[in-house]
Amino acid sequence: MPVWAVLLTVLVTALGAAGIGGVVGGRFAAQTAAPEQVAPQLDNEPPSGAPSRAPDTIAGISQRVSPSVVSIQDSGAGLSGNGSGFVIAGDHVVTNNHVAAALEDGLEVVYSDGRTSAAEIVGTRPESDLAVLELRDPIDVEPLEFGDSDQATVGDEVIAIGAPLGLAGTVTTGIISAVDRPVRLGEGSEAAIEALQTDAAINPGNSGGPLVDLQGRVIGVNSAIATMGGPESGQSGSIGLGFAIPSADAEDVVHDILGGDPAARADLGADLDPGHANGARVEAVEPGGPADRAGLRAGDVVVEFDGEPVDDAEALTALLAEHQPRDRVAVGYERDGESHRVDITLGTNTN
């Protein structure tokens, strides 16, 4: 690694819990400009006593979105905060898996006005770093809508809302700095995403909170930051490199959790060499698994997956996480210096 390389820190809590280190992969992809879309009708009222702002301003969007953003804490330990989340339809809250998994004594959400509700985990997707909670005593706030992150492009203005360092209702603004940024959320973590990168200030405690566009639609779930140092130096704050799970991926996962097996995920049926560059090298194939049935062998190097180039095992893991079991994808690979292509029907992994 060059000396200027940055280490990724997963945003775990607002109370100083250690982050998890990992390397940020790099890849840029151009996107078309977003077409005009009708903004959702948010009925949340501005905070009592606050001057009202037009709904198409940063202040107006923040006033109307913030009531639907919650802080998430451990109900048994009296902590001031662990992460953030946002309310969607059906009295459910979307957050990061690493936020929900860190709380062992019961979950509690805190609304922007200070009211609380107990919550329980409906399901999680560790490999996507997402979790869905169900509120036991919800209050009436307008559920947020997912936007279309596939239409996001570099330079689009965005707003991050959450509880960094336990400071609930914090609003920061910035732009989309990059799209399709491969990011592995920590050394040894299952989670690998192709993230929206933003320079909106994101800090520990923002995890699970929404990244919204100028229509108040959620286009990303804030999940990680990059810092200029390793885990041994402790967590540090924003340096303008934040990463969010795109809404196109998050919405699919949330729907799957609410309507399917929360533990099921797409499986290639192959072990990959994490240290190999210039493609994802297959170390072993599961007998009878998807890769084996398609003819892949140990030593093959996957260089393309569903039309996307594969730089390494990390990139392939991120691409795999975007698919569902039984998806059929085209895979390009190299064997003994020769290029091959094959269609693979992905399997199901519930471990």
Side-chain angles (χ1 to χ4, degrees), residues 166-184:
L167 302 173
T170 296
V171 176
T172 57
T173 64
I175 62 169
I176 296 294
S177 306
V179 298
D180 296 334
R181 178 74 77 196
V183 172
R184 190 168 193 86

PDB file of all heavy atoms in Angstrom, residues 166-184:
ATOM      1  N   GLY A 166     -23.789  10.906  19.199  1.00  0.00           N
ATOM      2  CA  GLY A 166     -24.960  11.034  20.057  1.00  0.00           C
ATOM      3  C   GLY A 166     -25.693  12.347  19.908  1.00  0.00           C
ATOM      4  O   GLY A 166     -26.668  12.580  20.632  1.00  0.00           O
ATOM      5  N   LEU A 167     -25.288  13.203  18.975  1.00  0.00           N
ATOM      6  CA  LEU A 167     -25.923  14.503  18.792  1.00  0.00           C
ATOM      7  C   LEU A 167     -27.074  14.359  17.804  1.00  0.00           C
ATOM      8  O   LEU A 167     -26.919  14.549  16.591  1.00  0.00           O
ATOM      9  CB  LEU A 167     -24.893  15.528  18.297  1.00  0.00           C
ATOM     10  CG  LEU A 167     -23.682  15.725  19.227  1.00  0.00           C
ATOM     11  CD1 LEU A 167     -22.648  16.631  18.581  1.00  0.00           C
ATOM     12  CD2 LEU A 167     -24.138  16.286  20.572  1.00  0.00           C
ATOM     13  N   ALA A 168     -28.249  14.016  18.329  1.00  0.00           N
ATOM     14  CA  ALA A 168     -29.405  13.696  17.495  1.00  0.00           C
ATOM     15  C   ALA A 168     -29.816  14.902  16.654  1.00  0.00           C
ATOM     16  O   ALA A 168     -29.675  16.055  17.051  1.00  0.00           O
ATOM     17  CB  ALA A 168     -30.568  13.248  18.369  1.00  0.00           C
ATOM     18  N   GLY A 169     -30.362  14.605  15.469  1.00  0.00           N
ATOM     19  CA  GLY A 169     -30.878  15.654  14.599  1.00  0.00           C
ATOM     20  C   GLY A 169     -29.818  16.460  13.892  1.00  0.00           C
ATOM     21  O   GLY A 169     -30.100  17.550  13.399  1.00  0.00           O
ATOM     22  N   THR A 170     -28.596  15.927  13.813  1.00  0.00           N
ATOM     23  CA  THR A 170     -27.527  16.648  13.129  1.00  0.00           C
ATOM     24  C   THR A 170     -27.702  16.536  11.621  1.00  0.00           C
ATOM     25  O   THR A 170     -27.916  15.455  11.084  1.00  0.00           O
ATOM     26  CB  THR A 170     -26.152  16.093  13.535  1.00  0.00           C
ATOM     27  OG1 THR A 170     -25.951  16.333  14.935  1.00  0.00           O
ATOM     28  CG2 THR A 170     -25.033  16.761  12.757  1.00  0.00           C
ATOM     29  N   VAL A 171     -27.599  17.674  10.931  1.00  0.00           N
ATOM     30  CA  VAL A 171     -27.762  17.740   9.481  1.00  0.00           C
ATOM     31  C   VAL A 171     -26.475  18.262   8.861  1.00  0.00           C
ATOM     32  O   VAL A 171     -25.937  19.278   9.299  1.00  0.00           O
ATOM     33  CB  VAL A 171     -28.931  18.673   9.105  1.00  0.00           C
ATOM     34  CG1 VAL A 171     -29.039  18.832   7.585  1.00  0.00           C
ATOM     35  CG2 VAL A 171     -30.239  18.162   9.679  1.00  0.00           C
ATOM     36  N   THR A 172     -25.958  17.549   7.851  1.00  0.00           N
ATOM     37  CA  THR A 172     -24.799  18.005   7.105  1.00  0.00           C
ATOM     38  C   THR A 172     -25.104  17.887   5.620  1.00  0.00           C
ATOM     39  O   THR A 172     -25.933  17.082   5.206  1.00  0.00           O
ATOM     40  CB  THR A 172     -23.531  17.188   7.433  1.00  0.00           C
ATOM     41  OG1 THR A 172     -23.783  15.802   7.166  1.00  0.00           O
ATOM     42  CG2 THR A 172     -23.139  17.352   8.891  1.00  0.00           C
ATOM     43  N   THR A 173     -24.439  18.691   4.826  1.00  0.00           N
ATOM     44  CA  THR A 173     -24.692  18.682   3.387  1.00  0.00           C
ATOM     45  C   THR A 173     -23.393  18.490   2.620  1.00  0.00           C
ATOM     46  O   THR A 173     -22.295  18.710   3.133  1.00  0.00           O
ATOM     47  CB  THR A 173     -25.341  19.995   2.927  1.00  0.00           C
ATOM     48  OG1 THR A 173     -24.425  21.081   3.141  1.00  0.00           O
ATOM     49  CG2 THR A 173     -26.631  20.259   3.671  1.00  0.00           C
ATOM     50  N   GLY A 174     -23.548  18.066   1.384  1.00  0.00           N
ATOM     51  CA  GLY A 174     -22.385  17.884   0.518  1.00  0.00           C
ATOM     52  C   GLY A 174     -22.854  17.447  -0.849  1.00  0.00           C
ATOM     53  O   GLY A 174     -23.996  17.721  -1.251  1.00  0.00           O
ATOM     54  N   ILE A 175     -21.986  16.754  -1.559  1.00  0.00           N
ATOM     55  CA  ILE A 175     -22.310  16.260  -2.891  1.00  0.00           C
ATOM     56  C   ILE A 175     -21.964  14.774  -2.991  1.00  0.00           C
ATOM     57  O   ILE A 175     -21.282  14.230  -2.121  1.00  0.00           O
ATOM     58  CB  ILE A 175     -21.541  17.026  -3.987  1.00  0.00           C
ATOM     59  CG1 ILE A 175     -20.022  16.821  -3.811  1.00  0.00           C
ATOM     60  CG2 ILE A 175     -21.911  18.494  -3.998  1.00  0.00           C
ATOM     61  CD1 ILE A 175     -19.195  17.309  -4.971  1.00  0.00           C
ATOM     62  N   ILE A 176     -22.450  14.145  -4.041  1.00  0.00           N
ATOM     63  CA  ILE A 176     -21.984  12.806  -4.383  1.00  0.00           C
ATOM     64  C   ILE A 176     -20.589  12.965  -4.987  1.00  0.00           C
ATOM     65  O   ILE A 176     -20.417  13.649  -5.999  1.00  0.00           O
ATOM     66  CB  ILE A 176     -22.932  12.122  -5.379  1.00  0.00           C
ATOM     67  CG1 ILE A 176     -24.309  11.901  -4.750  1.00  0.00           C
ATOM     68  CG2 ILE A 176     -22.329  10.796  -5.855  1.00  0.00           C
ATOM     69  CD1 ILE A 176     -24.324  10.930  -3.597  1.00  0.00           C
ATOM     70  N   SER A 177     -19.601  12.365  -4.357  1.00  0.00           N
ATOM     71  CA  SER A 177     -18.221  12.485  -4.815  1.00  0.00           C
ATOM     72  C   SER A 177     -17.836  11.391  -5.797  1.00  0.00           C
ATOM     73  O   SER A 177     -16.932  11.577  -6.619  1.00  0.00           O
ATOM     74  CB  SER A 177     -17.254  12.444  -3.619  1.00  0.00           C
ATOM     75  OG  SER A 177     -17.602  13.420  -2.660  1.00  0.00           O
ATOM     76  N   ALA A 178     -18.468  10.230  -5.685  1.00  0.00           N
ATOM     77  CA  ALA A 178     -18.213   9.109  -6.591  1.00  0.00           C
ATOM     78  C   ALA A 178     -19.356   8.120  -6.439  1.00  0.00           C
ATOM     79  O   ALA A 178     -20.060   8.112  -5.421  1.00  0.00           O
ATOM     80  CB  ALA A 178     -16.881   8.426  -6.278  1.00  0.00           C
ATOM     81  N   VAL A 179     -19.565   7.319  -7.456  1.00  0.00           N
ATOM     82  CA  VAL A 179     -20.560   6.255  -7.397  1.00  0.00           C
ATOM     83  C   VAL A 179     -19.875   4.922  -7.655  1.00  0.00           C
ATOM     84  O   VAL A 179     -18.761   4.871  -8.163  1.00  0.00           O
ATOM     85  CB  VAL A 179     -21.697   6.483  -8.413  1.00  0.00           C
ATOM     86  CG1 VAL A 179     -22.446   7.769  -8.113  1.00  0.00           C
ATOM     87  CG2 VAL A 179     -21.150   6.528  -9.845  1.00  0.00           C
ATOM     88  N   ASP A 180     -20.539   3.844  -7.253  1.00  0.00           N
ATOM     89  CA  ASP A 180     -20.009   2.486  -7.460  1.00  0.00           C
ATOM     90  C   ASP A 180     -18.603   2.321  -6.880  1.00  0.00           C
ATOM     91  O   ASP A 180     -17.732   1.699  -7.490  1.00  0.00           O
ATOM     92  CB  ASP A 180     -19.983   2.130  -8.950  1.00  0.00           C
ATOM     93  CG  ASP A 180     -21.367   2.073  -9.559  1.00  0.00           C
ATOM     94  OD1 ASP A 180     -22.327   1.808  -8.809  1.00  0.00           O
ATOM     95  OD2 ASP A 180     -21.500   2.300 -10.776  1.00  0.00           O
ATOM     96  N   ARG A 181     -18.385   2.880  -5.703  1.00  0.00           N
ATOM     97  CA  ARG A 181     -17.073   2.770  -5.048  1.00  0.00           C
ATOM     98  C   ARG A 181     -17.022   1.450  -4.263  1.00  0.00           C
ATOM     99  O   ARG A 181     -17.741   1.296  -3.282  1.00  0.00           O
ATOM    100  CB  ARG A 181     -16.866   3.934  -4.098  1.00  0.00           C
ATOM    101  CG  ARG A 181     -15.550   3.889  -3.343  1.00  0.00           C
ATOM    102  CD  ARG A 181     -14.388   4.243  -4.238  1.00  0.00           C
ATOM    103  NE  ARG A 181     -14.301   5.676  -4.465  1.00  0.00           N
ATOM    104  CZ  ARG A 181     -13.586   6.222  -5.433  1.00  0.00           C
ATOM    105  NH1 ARG A 181     -12.914   5.452  -6.277  1.00  0.00           N
ATOM    106  NH2 ARG A 181     -13.540   7.530  -5.590  1.00  0.00           N
ATOM    107  N   PRO A 182     -16.187   0.474  -4.669  1.00  0.00           N
ATOM    108  CA  PRO A 182     -16.122  -0.787  -3.920  1.00  0.00           C
ATOM    109  C   PRO A 182     -15.530  -0.565  -2.530  1.00  0.00           C
ATOM    110  O   PRO A 182     -14.428  -0.038  -2.396  1.00  0.00           O
ATOM    111  CB  PRO A 182     -15.201  -1.663  -4.776  1.00  0.00           C
ATOM    112  CG  PRO A 182     -15.166  -1.015  -6.117  1.00  0.00           C
ATOM    113  CD  PRO A 182     -15.322   0.454  -5.853  1.00  0.00           C
ATOM    114  N   VAL A 183     -16.249  -0.960  -1.516  1.00  0.00           N
ATOM    115  CA  VAL A 183     -15.814  -0.758  -0.130  1.00  0.00           C
ATOM    116  C   VAL A 183     -16.104  -2.025   0.658  1.00  0.00           C
ATOM    117  O   VAL A 183     -17.215  -2.550   0.618  1.00  0.00           O
ATOM    118  CB  VAL A 183     -16.547   0.434   0.519  1.00  0.00           C
ATOM    119  CG1 VAL A 183     -16.231   0.518   2.013  1.00  0.00           C
ATOM    120  CG2 VAL A 183     -16.178   1.739  -0.164  1.00  0.00           C
ATOM    121  N   ARG A 184     -15.102  -2.525   1.350  1.00  0.00           N
ATOM    122  CA  ARG A 184     -15.305  -3.637   2.280  1.00  0.00           C
ATOM    123  C   ARG A 184     -15.347  -3.052   3.682  1.00  0.00           C
ATOM    124  O   ARG A 184     -14.429  -2.333   4.095  1.00  0.00           O
ATOM    125  CB  ARG A 184     -14.178  -4.668   2.168  1.00  0.00           C
ATOM    126  CG  ARG A 184     -14.497  -5.942   2.939  1.00  0.00           C
ATOM    127  CD  ARG A 184     -13.536  -7.072   2.600  1.00  0.00           C
ATOM    128  NE  ARG A 184     -14.029  -8.337   3.109  1.00  0.00           N
ATOM    129  CZ  ARG A 184     -14.880  -9.128   2.469  1.00  0.00           C
ATOM    130  NH1 ARG A 184     -15.310  -8.783   1.282  1.00  0.00           N
ATOM    131  NH2 ARG A 184     -15.295 -10.255   2.996  1.00  0.00           N
TER     132      ARG A 184
END
